């Protein structure tokens, strides 16, 4: 476990805790506050995104990092779906067509991202390594 993954681990723990708390509130309030459920799912999916970040930070090869990054993007698309659901619930707008279209778009994109094997965006055989020169002689390689 690399030290650089410690902030992502902390973020995942916080996101899972807040998500579980709001899920508890949703069931405690007898299903009357829909925004608690959608916010809980947003936090939980964000926690999974952070877990995928930890995996990407600790990857030992390009192929392994590729799989973690694909999972990251898929989780981020699911965060977009749950966040759009939460935003519609929170402002109490009953625009089901817009909400359903956004959720369908994000979930469909997540499924395509995770299941597609075509190298449309991801080229594991041609990694694009970038080197960023910082002041005082420091450099970042990504």
């Amino acid at each position: 476990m690399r030290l650089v993954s410690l902030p992502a681990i902390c973020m995942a723990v916080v996101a899972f805790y807040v998500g579980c708390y709001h899920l508890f509130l949703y069931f405690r309030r007898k299903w009357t506050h829909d925004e608690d459920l959608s916010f809980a799912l947003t936090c939980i999916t964000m926690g999974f995104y952070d877990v995928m970040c930890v995996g990407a930070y600790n990857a030992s090869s390009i192929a392994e990092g590729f799989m973690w990054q694909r999972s990251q993007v898929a989780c981020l698309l699911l965060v977009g779906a749950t966040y759009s659901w939460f935003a519609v619930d929170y402002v109490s707008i009953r625009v089901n067509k817009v909400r359903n279209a956004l959720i369908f778009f994000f979930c469909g994109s997540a499924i395509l991202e995770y299941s597609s094997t075509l190298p449309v965006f991801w080229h594991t055989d041609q990694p694009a390594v970038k080197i960023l020169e910082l002041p005082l002689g420091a450099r970042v390689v990504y």
Side-chain angles (χ1 to χ4, degrees):
M1 178 82 53
R2 294 183 183 157
L3 188 60
V4 71
S5 62
L6 188 61
I9 292 171
C10 294
M11 291 290 290
V13 169
V14 169
F16 283 132
Y17 173 76
V18 172
C20 290
Y21 176 73
H22 279 274
L23 197 60
F24 170 75
L25 282 179
Y26 176 71
F27 291 117
R28 173 91 176 176
R29 293 177 177 171
K30 308 264 191 258
W31 306 284
T32 56
H33 295 271
D34 291 337
E35 67 274 1
D36 284 333
L37 177 62
S38 56
F39 185 70
L41 292 177
T42 301
C43 289
I44 290 170
T45 55
M46 194 65 196
F48 281 118
Y49 170 76
D50 291 331
V51 168
M52 300 306 155
C53 286
V54 171
Y57 294 156
N58 292 308
S60 58
S61 68
I62 292 173
E64 185 182 354
F66 164 72
M67 293 308 295
W68 284 108
Q69 283 188 329
R70 281 183 69 176
S71 299
Q72 263 184 300
V73 172
C75 284
L76 200 58
L77 288 166
L78 291 177
V79 169
T82 57
Y83 182 74
S84 59
W85 179 17
F86 166 69
V88 169
D89 282 346
Y90 188 73
V91 296
S92 298
I93 298 175
R94 297 295 171 204
V95 189
N96 290 333
K97 290 181 183 179
V98 172
R99 182 193 64 195
N100 292 343
L102 285 170
I103 290 173
F104 178 75
F105 170 75
F106 282 118
C107 289
S109 298
I111 290 169
L112 285 174
E113 171 62 37
Y114 199 70
S115 65
S116 175
T117 57
L118 298 173
V120 178
F121 297 109
W122 302 97
H123 300 283
T124 56
D125 57 341
Q126 301 170 359
V129 177
K130 308 279 189 226
I131 299 174
L132 178 65
E133 296 290 336
L134 298 174
L136 302 175
R139 60 193 319 202
V140 176
V141 179
Y142 66 96

